[in-house]
Amino acid sequence: MTDFFELLNKRRSIRNFEEKKVPLDIINEIIKESCLAPSSGNGQPWRFIIVNNKDVIKSLSDDSKKNILSYIEINPDSPTKKYEAALRSPEFNVFYNAHSLVFIVGPKHIRSLHVDCTLAACYFMFCASARGLGTCWVGLGTSIQDPDLLNLIGLPEDHKIVAPIIIGYPKGIPSPSERREPQILK
């Protein structure tokens, strides 16, 4: 087990993985530990969807790319436009060709859903990192709209994707990005 403060300093977003699957029992352990996260009123609204099929992950990526590009066409001034060139590339996979993808989802009607699921996602990423695994929260992976794909992954109609997280064995750990000093307003 890694020292917590070492973990805070060393966890990175990983986008390049070894060709080795993370065993499902390890992913389930990490999910169980993620449920220790705090939530509003102890509601624990998070649900998890595990996708371990690269062909399905590629289809999810393709649908997400299509939907984001449509959004950019309608909203050309969107900050998402900076991803347009990558999204137009047939080789680009928003999930970086990872073997495993975990969606943290929850009921759409819960006001605190994004905060609650984000806390669970943070726990997920730290628990994975403590095991030597790499993760990356892929914001571009929330734009899946194809009803058949959503049905295939088991997303209930009254739920939404909050945190798509890829997980795997990292090929390497990138250097830390520069961090700004905290801005304490008062």
Side-chain angles (χ1 to χ4, degrees):
M1 180 76 170
T2 307
D3 171 81
F4 179 70
F5 294 102
E6 181 182 350
L7 192 61
L8 284 176
N9 286 300
K10 291 191 174 180
R11 194 220 63 85
R12 298 282 168 267
S13 292
I14 304 298
R15 295 174 180 88
N16 196 4
F17 301 97
E18 294 179 5
E19 286 296 320
K20 177 181 172 186
K21 286 187 176 188
V22 178
L24 190 56
D25 61 322
I26 292 176
I27 294 174
N28 284 325
E29 286 175 16
I30 293 167
I31 288 172
K32 187 172 183 177
E33 293 162 354
S34 301
C35 293
L36 297 172
S39 61
S40 178
N42 196 29
Q44 304 174 43
W46 44 69
R47 304 293 181 264
F48 302 86
I49 296 170
I50 304 167
V51 183
N52 274 333
N53 180 308
K54 284 186 93 166
D55 292 333
V56 173
I57 293 171
K58 170 82 168 72
S59 295
L60 293 165
S61 171
D62 290 345
D63 189 59
S64 213
K65 287 167 56 172
K66 177 187 77 166
N67 295 324
I68 296 166
L69 287 168
S70 293
Y71 177 81
I72 291 170
E73 287 176 18
I74 297 167
N75 302 284
D77 295 330
S78 166
T80 312
K81 185 153 179 80
K82 68 183 177 184
Y83 300 109
E84 184 175 14
L87 293 165
R88 291 199 184 281
S89 169
E91 290 80 36
F92 179 69
N93 182 315
V94 299
F95 300 114
Y96 299 94
N97 301 305
H99 279 284
S100 298
L101 165 63
V102 175
F103 289 110
I104 302 178
V105 307
K108 295 175 185 177
H109 73 277
I110 295 178
R111 282 187 56 208
S112 62
L113 184 66
H114 276 85
V115 173
D116 294 339
C117 289
T118 296
L119 287 163
C122 290
Y123 273 49
F124 183 94
M125 292 184 287
F126 280 122
C127 291
S129 185
R131 288 176 168 80
L133 296 167
T135 60
C136 184
W137 179 329
V138 182
L140 294 175
T142 60
S143 298
I144 300 154
Q145 297 175 13
D146 182 307
D148 293 333
L149 282 173
L150 294 172
N151 185 53
L152 177 66
I153 65 170
L155 182 71
E157 285 186 25
D158 65 339
H159 282 51
K160 67 192 251 177
I161 297 168
V162 176
I165 301 174
I166 52 177
I167 182 170
Y169 294 94
K171 279 192 177 176
I173 308 293
S175 299
S177 56
E178 186 177 325
R179 296 289 181 202
R180 296 180 203 103
E181 284 297 313
Q183 295 183 18
I184 301 169
L185 300 178
K186 184 173 180 178

